[in-house]
Amino acid sequence: MTMLKLFGIVVFCGLLSPSQEVLSGLSCAVSPVAMQNVLSDAILQNGLLQQHLQGLVLPNIVGDGGLLNSPTSITGLHLVKVGLPKLSVVLPPGIGVQLTIATKLELSGNCLVGLLSDLVDILVDVNITANIKCTNFESGTVQVVIEDCLCILGAIKIKLLSGLLSLSVNEIVLNKLRATLPGLLCPVVDIVINLANIQLLGTLNAVIPVGTVGTIHYHLASLPFTSGLFLGLDLDGVVKQVGGSIIPHDSSASALPPLLDKLLVLGLRQSFLNAVLSLLIQIPPQTFTCTPEVVSGAAPVFHTWGGGKGCCSTCYETGPLSIKLTLSGNPLILLEENKATVELLVMIQVFIQRLDGSILNLLLLKADLGLNAHVSIAGGRLVLALSLGSTSLSLESSDVGISNISNLKPHCSSLLAETLLPLINGALGIGIPLPNVLDIPLIKVDIQI
């Protein structure tokens, strides 16, 4: 299970205490179970470990046989089969990831005991434990290093085709494998871990298109850390418009809440969301001619402004009334507990274009909108759907001396809800694409604000 939290919004996976400091970044926490599944898929299910073990080159095993036994040599020893490996993960605080791989290796070679040549099969249980640390954080990427790789051999079974096996041969093979296998297997694990790291970091350091308006380049904001309960990944995103212009936002590193009973926690900082909303909500000015058929909700407004007992009884003689809606400034998302609101400033211009082409501004109004945001996850994207919550109307100017706009608020609210809000929701409908962190799908997602 996954959770997203907005601090923003947290997409859960895990719960935050109400007193938790607001995150300034997009962050995620991965539980040991989730991390184990991720590494198992990357290392075992994809055959990465088995593939690199196939190239294992084993030295010859030679023993002089002592006083009572014949000299023994095993040559051409090679790996025949890798048993189905089992992988387990723990997250020691401050260490990183402790990875343990248990498997069984089947080896085969030529055995010469005295003058008797035979084929030999060796089955050996292997348990490899490696401490994985992240270091050298730079430009959103990290280097993975393995410390304290420990390879322990378990049961060893040796079988000669002739069935003749002395205790001395068993001891020679056991001692030689214990001396050489760790030095051969740990470098293989190091290679495999680094290849898996490249694959998994690609899910964190990814450029994702946002429809046709721009991109988000997600990356690590700081070094990963472990708490014993989860692996923390603090992510951020560069929001870029088509053409290369970056929309700035606060990208300081952030702390993560403890992960409880979830697999993954993603946190989206408020400043990041504001940058993405600025990218998505780019509605050009909308102009409507004053006819009730075009803008039904504005008909009472136009009646008040344009004719009869209104303030401009001769307006229709010079040209039709028009209304222009223009977004001003950038949208701002405000996040409170279990509540998200988007503040938007809209300029409402009511004007007449005279026959000579000049403009007569009847009214220039400023509408401060408070839009209620419903947040959901669909197809790996964070989707915001807005509805009109509050409208604050103020008069900026009037070329015809209008000063009282008290009766216009309900009509303006209706106008904005009918004409502008559908355009904004249409722009937001493509959603904010989220990174596929460590290839963990965002399913059964809870959202907490």
Side-chain angles (χ1 to χ4, degrees), residues 1 8 72 104 112 119 121 144 147 159 169 175 238 240 244 253 258 286 298 321 353 356 375 390 403 409 413 432:
M1 173 156 314
T72 301
K104 187 185 294 289
L112 181 65
L119 295 177
D121 292 322
V144 170
E147 297 181 345
K159 179 182 178 183
V169 173
N175 291 338
V238 176
K240 185 180 292 187
Q286 303 293 308
L321 281 172
Q353 184 168 2
D356 62 1
V375 185
S390 63
S403 60
K409 181 177 177 180
S413 296
I432 302 172

Side-chain angles (χ1 to χ4, degrees), residues 61-73 112-114 166-172:
I61 298 175
V62 179
D64 59 15
L67 296 175
L68 301 178
N69 297 292
S70 301
T72 301
S73 66
L112 181 65
V113 181
S166 66
L167 292 177
S168 63
V169 173
N170 190 82
E171 191 68 23
I172 290 170

Side-chain angles (χ1 to χ4, degrees), residues 63-345:
D64 59 15
L67 296 175
L68 301 178
N69 297 292
S70 301
T72 301
S73 66
I74 299 176
T75 59
L77 197 60
H78 60 281
L79 183 66
V80 176
K81 183 180 178 181
V82 180
L84 183 63
K86 294 181 179 180
L87 184 146
S88 60
V89 167
V90 294
L91 303 172
I95 293 179
V97 178
Q98 187 176 81
L99 173 70
T100 299
I101 300 174
T103 187
K104 187 185 294 289
L105 303 181
E106 182 179 337
L107 311 174
S108 183
N110 299 311
C111 181
L112 181 65
V113 181
L115 300 177
L116 178 64
S117 179
D118 208 344
L119 295 177
V120 63
D121 292 322
I122 302 172
L123 289 176
V124 53
D125 291 332
V126 176
N127 194 287
I128 307 167
T129 299
N131 291 329
I132 305 171
K133 279 191 173 182
C134 294
T135 184
N136 297 336
F137 174 77
E138 183 179 357
S139 301
T141 61
V142 296
Q143 180 183 354
V144 170
V145 296
I146 290 185
E147 297 181 345
D148 306 323
C149 179
L150 178 64
C151 180
I152 299 176
L153 303 188
I156 296 179
K157 297 180 180 179
I158 305 171
K159 179 182 178 183
L160 291 176
L161 188 62
S162 64
L164 300 175
L165 179 64
S166 66
L167 292 177
S168 63
V169 173
N170 190 82
E171 191 68 23
I172 290 170
V173 171
L174 181 62
N175 291 338
K176 188 66 174 181
L177 290 181
R178 282 176 175 167
T180 59
L181 267 184
L184 297 174
L185 294 177
C186 282
V188 171
V189 172
D190 184 61
I191 293 172
V192 167
I193 291 297
N194 275 280
L195 290 175
N197 175 59
I198 293 172
Q199 172 191 333
L200 296 175
L201 270 186
T203 68
L204 308 177
N205 190 9
V207 178
I208 307 177
V210 185
T212 59
V213 295
T215 59
I216 299 175
H217 182 184
Y218 288 106
H219 57 79
L220 283 171
S222 59
L223 272 173
F225 66 94
T226 54
S227 71
L229 298 175
F230 61 85
L231 170 70
L233 303 168
D234 189 14
L235 303 181
D236 192 18
V238 176
V239 182
K240 185 180 292 187
Q241 302 182 75
V242 170
S245 177
I246 293 176
I247 301 175
H249 69 276
D250 179 16
S251 297
S252 55
S254 54
L256 277 175
L259 187 69
L260 299 180
D261 59 344
K262 311 290 183 176
L263 290 181
L264 174 67
V265 175
L266 296 178
L268 301 178
R269 66 191 66 175
Q270 182 170 282
S271 59
F272 169 80
L273 291 170
N274 282 326
V276 181
L277 288 183
S278 297
L279 177 67
L280 290 173
I281 303 177
Q282 299 185 36
I283 309 297
Q286 303 293 308
T287 303
F288 308 95
T289 303
C290 177
T291 59
E293 293 79 8
V294 174
V295 191
S296 61
V301 183
F302 294 132
H303 175 74
T304 301
W305 290 335
K309 299 180 181 179
C311 59
C312 187
S313 59
T314 61
C315 287
Y316 281 124
E317 299 175 6
T318 58
L321 281 172
S322 297
I323 186 166
K324 183 178 182 180
L325 306 179
T326 305
L327 297 185
S328 179
N330 293 321
L332 177 65
I333 189 167
L334 300 178
L335 299 167
E336 306 170 66
E337 187 174 355
N338 299 321
K339 181 181 179 182
T341 306
V342 175
E343 292 187 348
L344 202 60
L345 177 60

